[in-house]
Amino acid sequence: MINVKNHLGQITLSKPFLVSLIGGTVTNCFGVVDMNSGSVKQTILETLPFLKKKNYIEKGVNVRYVRDKLHVDLHITVMYGVNVTAVVKSVMNKVRYAVEDTTGISVEKVNVFVDGLNA
């Protein structure tokens, strides 16, 4: 849970909300083919057949709240033939804008890890 205080009072945001917001934003970016597991927990959940989801949007998203700012780590697969630098910059900008516009919380870092290329 992330608690934000402003002039209206206190707002509580859950991590699953932020993760689904960020995951939806990333999967809609041009050049992003898939999200990859970013932690051991996600890898284990992915291997269990009864917990496996076809469109697991939270896969590859890690959110940390440090000193009133968000740090976001993303693990993606990029489409073969596109400019990887342009895709990564686009993902970083769109995630930062979506989170700041929706929640009002400033995003300090968006780290994008390209784990693979896919045709």
Side-chain angles (χ1 to χ4, degrees):
M1 296 293 216
I2 298 171
N3 295 319
V4 180
K5 292 182 181 177
N6 62 12
H7 66 284
L8 297 174
Q10 184 172 341
I11 302 170
T12 303
L13 299 169
S14 66
K15 271 196 174 181
F17 167 74
L18 287 172
V19 169
S20 64
L21 173 70
I22 294 168
T25 303
V26 172
T27 55
N28 288 326
C29 288
F30 174 76
V32 176
V33 176
D34 195 16
M35 301 286 289
N36 303 321
S37 297
S39 68
V40 175
K41 178 184 174 186
Q42 289 176 348
T43 304
I44 291 171
L45 288 175
E46 205 174 282
T47 58
L48 297 174
F50 57 89
L51 290 177
K52 200 171 194 176
K53 297 179 184 175
K54 200 167 196 174
N55 293 327
Y56 189 50
I57 202 164
E58 291 90 12
K59 182 172 71 170
V61 179
N62 185 17
V63 178
R64 296 180 313 278
Y65 192 62
V66 180
R67 290 184 227 111
D68 297 334
K69 295 185 186 231
L70 283 179
H71 292 206
V72 179
D73 293 333
L74 303 169
H75 293 268
I76 63 171
T77 298
V78 177
M79 183 187 311
Y80 181 78
V82 298
N83 187 341
V84 176
T85 306
V87 171
V88 168
K89 285 182 181 179
S90 173
V91 167
M92 292 169 75
N93 290 331
K94 286 183 180 183
V95 166
R96 184 180 309 268
Y97 175 76
V99 171
E100 289 179 353
D101 185 49
T102 305
T103 65
I105 300 173
S106 62
V107 178
E108 186 174 14
K109 290 183 183 179
V110 178
N111 300 317
V112 180
F113 302 98
V114 178
D115 295 334
L117 296 172
N118 198 358

